[in-house]
Amino acid sequence: MPSTVIRGGTVVTHDLTYRADIRIENGRIAEIGPDLKGEETLDATGCYVMPGGIDPHTHLEMPFMGTYSSDDFESGTRAALAGGTTMVVDFVLPGQEQGLLDAMKVWHNKSGRAHCDYSYHMAVTWWGERVWDEMPLVIGEGITTFKHFMAYKGALMVNDDEMFASFTRLGELGATALVHAENGDVVAELQRKLLAEGNTGPEAHAYSRPPQVEGEATNRAIMIADMAGVPLYVVHVSCEEAHEAIRRARAQGKRVWGEPLIQHLILDESEYRHPDWDHAARRVMSPPFRDKRHQDSLWAGLQSGSLSVVATDHCAFTTEQKRFGRGDFTKIPNGTGGLEDRMPLLWTHGVNTGRLTPNEFVAVTSANVAKILGCYPRKGAIAVGADADLVVWDPERRKTISAATQQSAIDYNVFEGQEVTGLPRFVLTRGRLAVREGEMRPQEGWGEFVRREARGPVSRALTRWKDLTAPRPVERSGIPASGV
Ligand code: DUC
Ligand code: ZN
Ligand code: ZN
Ligand code: ZN
């Protein structure tokens, strides 16, 4: 590959802003400084040069609710690049009794068509000796984060005993646990009750998953992680109740991170009361969209640092697939898209409104993700030796989001009609120019699997737990002699 220089831009990382050119050689950043020369030049005048976005949460070609999500690694990573995202982290979902490594091979077969780099989380969808045995081997493959569904009873859900066993094993191995935190038993009961009362439409989806089911499960997962001594990452935090539990845990020194989605930051529950069934059903996802009180809480969390990253949970279904749930909201495939729109929407509603600085934007869309998930500074950084996954961001470039012009394979966009200001001028994936002023230059199969490091045994919670269980001197009254 010829050397490329990105000239005349302002470099923005999670902690620094400065004027410099960047020279790229063989897919990596070779030099940062003034007046650099290369065989090719990209003009970044008037633009910010930032680490490409990393979406920590996607479901591409995911088998779910009797179908497969419609964006696969081809269309999904093409959409990602169009919006300035240069890496996605998808979820390997083993079937019941299926080995983790066998399931990983299935995902490696799907991801061969990716246009940008990618990694996986491993889902723990059942518990047994084989899962226990294979966990270190999975970590050895560079997959160091393990997801647990506390909802989807009868399908993906794991119970507390399974979750505690899995968390304990992961804590011992220095890995990180992820949770989808909703109380699956309560959701199943509310679904049954709503259907029995004749509530069959998409609005009942939101009624069946109130903020309390998320707040309860988030708190429970945090406490179980504390007892197990494992760091915990809570996916798709959508409400104040869950955010409050995360804030409290972090203030107590626990290693807990929260991930809001761009959908929950921008869209609210009124979408489910839309008179058009298709409109409402297209927005059915779990957790559901919430009201303004919760949206304000999520924005405040990003501003204060109690919430760490912004993802999409990109899981796109066509209108035809959504119609599987006509007459029964529990059969509407859960999921919405957002891969192409996450960065421009967060810039528009975050940076342009003054809620986030450009550095904070880089932190929550890229650097924090890479640090928490164990691939920093290869990803998420602008530094000599880092992968040249870069976005040249034009803060003046505008568009109206529309399904008519999107990369995603589905027939609508939940953000249809929204105006965004702030879009990529250029997007580079390991030095390869994939987007030039809105024109796509995709290359199927260019993307590579990114191995990630395990965090190691860092949970302070484990130390506290050991302290608490150690024998302590007791005074006559039965009150411990020291400590609270
Ligand atoms: N929620 C969704 O809406 N879709 C995929 C899985 C999930 O947890
Ligand atoms: Zn989930
Ligand atoms: Zn509509
Ligand atoms: Zn998900």
Side-chain angles (χ1 to χ4, degrees):
M1 242 199 289
S3 69
T4 304
V5 167
I6 299 175
R7 186 162 15 222
T10 300
V11 174
V12 179
T13 65
H14 73 283
D15 59 351
L16 296 171
T17 305
Y18 57 97
R19 296 294 293 267
D21 299 345
I22 294 175
R23 188 166 57 80
I24 298 160
E25 294 268 6
N26 300 319
R28 294 191 178 181
I29 295 173
E31 196 178 358
I32 305 168
D35 305 318
L36 301 183
K37 305 265 178 295
E39 288 152 279
E40 284 176 8
T41 303
L42 296 173
D43 179 14
T45 309
C47 290
Y48 297 118
V49 185
M50 308 189 292
I54 305 172
D55 192 330
H57 187 162
T58 70
H59 300 283
L60 302 174
E61 204 182 338
M62 178 205 200
F64 191 47
M65 298 184 73
T67 185
Y68 281 83
S69 60
S70 279
D71 274 318
D72 57 13
F73 276 84
E74 194 286 309
S75 62
T77 56
R78 187 157 37 79
L81 285 168
T85 290
T86 53
M87 175 173 164
V88 301
V89 190
D90 209 79
F91 290 82
V92 175
L93 285 187
Q96 292 302 306
E97 309 292 322
Q98 187 186 25
L100 308 184
L101 293 170
D102 286 346
M104 182 190 73
K105 285 182 201 136
V106 174
W107 254 255
H108 275 316
N109 281 334
K110 297 183 204 239
S111 60
R113 299 178 66 197
H115 295 276
C116 69
D117 286 359
Y118 54 89
S119 186
Y120 316 130
H121 308 283
M122 177 60 66
V124 178
T125 53
W126 63 282
W127 185 248
E129 210 172 310
R130 184 163 183 195
V131 177
W132 196 93
D133 283 344
E134 288 193 17
M135 276 178 160
L137 306 176
V138 171
I139 294 168
E141 296 288 327
I143 301 172
T144 56
T145 42
F146 293 74
K147 161 93 165 277
H148 305 71
F149 290 90
M150 299 170 79
Y152 302 117
K153 191 175 179 177
L156 299 169
M157 179 167 137
V158 286
N159 295 322
D160 290 353
D161 55 346
E162 298 166 320
M163 204 163 75
F164 183 54
S166 177
F167 279 19
T168 302
R169 176 71 164 149
L170 294 172
E172 287 162 4
L173 295 170
T176 297
L178 272 64
V179 278
H180 169 130
E182 287 183 303
N183 185 317
D185 289 318
V186 174
V187 169
E189 184 52 23
L190 290 175
Q191 287 177 328
R192 192 196 58 73
K193 207 160 163 281
L194 284 156
L195 283 174
E197 289 164 358
N199 295 297
T200 57
E203 69 285 359
H205 171 76
Y207 302 149
S208 72
R209 309 180 100 99
Q212 289 89 334
V213 303
E214 189 183 340
E216 185 281 325
T218 302
N219 194 58
R220 178 160 37 105
I222 288 169
M223 295 301 163
I224 291 175
D226 191 18
M227 291 183 277
V230 72
L232 182 72
Y233 177 111
V234 184
V235 305
H236 50 47
V237 176
S238 76
C239 65
E240 162 57 16
E241 285 78 351
H243 177 200
E244 190 269 338
I246 292 165
R247 272 200 313 273
R248 180 158 30 89
R250 289 172 65 88
Q252 291 167 347
K254 293 175 187 169
R255 305 268 172 176
V256 176
W257 301 276
E259 170 210 82
L261 307 182
I262 193 65
Q263 292 92 320
H264 290 113
L265 288 163
I266 308 284
L267 302 172
D268 69 35
E269 58 170 9
S270 65
E271 302 280 359
Y272 300 119
R273 295 192 295 270
H274 195 282
D276 174 16
W277 189 95
D278 284 343
H279 180 107
R282 287 162 171 169
R283 286 147 180 89
V284 163
M285 65 172 299
S286 295
F289 302 154
R290 309 290 192 193
D291 66 26
K292 187 162 184 310
R293 179 174 75 91
H294 298 293
Q295 293 184 314
D296 289 346
S297 168
L298 301 182
W299 281 109
L302 291 174
Q303 290 176 260
S304 65
S306 53
L307 297 173
S308 304
V309 301
V310 176
T312 62
D313 196 4
H314 188 99
C315 187
F317 296 102
T318 62
T319 304
E320 202 185 325
Q321 289 175 303
K322 291 284 187 178
R323 287 180 183 162
F324 298 164
R326 272 204 173 278
D328 179 352
F329 71 88
T330 66
K331 301 208 161 47
I332 302 171
N334 284 203
T336 59
L339 255 174
E340 185 167 347
D341 310 309
R342 177 182 68 130
M343 303 271 282
L345 280 169
L346 191 72
W347 186 273
T348 301
H349 292 266
V351 179
N352 291 346
T353 57
R355 283 162 161 155
L356 301 176
T357 66
N359 306 97
E360 288 165 345
F361 175 86
V362 171
V364 300
T365 57
S366 184
N368 288 357
V369 179
K371 290 185 205 177
I372 295 166
L373 300 185
C375 56
Y376 189 86
R378 175 178 168 195
K379 303 292 188 187
I382 294 186
V384 172
D387 282 357
D389 280 7
L390 297 167
V391 57
V392 177
W393 193 261
D394 184 345
E396 310 286 339
R397 203 177 165 89
R398 297 162 162 265
K399 76 167 186 185
T400 305
I401 294 174
S402 171
T405 51
Q406 73 186 2
Q407 301 297 319
S408 165
I410 64 169
D411 57 318
Y412 62 92
N413 185 312
V414 296
F415 301 109
E416 183 77 31
Q418 296 235 11
E419 309 274 346
V420 288
T421 304
L423 283 162
R425 179 182 291 178
F426 305 116
V427 182
L428 295 97
T429 154
R430 270 181 296 105
R432 189 184 168 275
L433 185 63
V435 183
R436 176 193 279 275
E437 316 229 15
E439 176 214 336
M440 296 301 295
R441 306 167 81 250
Q443 185 174 322
E444 220 179 285
W446 174 261
E448 288 179 359
F449 176 70
V450 177
R451 298 170 63 92
R452 295 181 288 111
E453 300 290 325
R455 165 168 290 276
V458 295
S459 179
R460 295 249 303 276
L462 180 61
T463 323
R464 283 190 55 224
W465 174 249
K466 280 185 174 153
D467 291 347
L468 290 170
T469 52
R472 291 195 286 176
V474 175
E475 283 191 334
R476 272 189 312 275
S477 65
I479 297 164
S482 62
V484 183

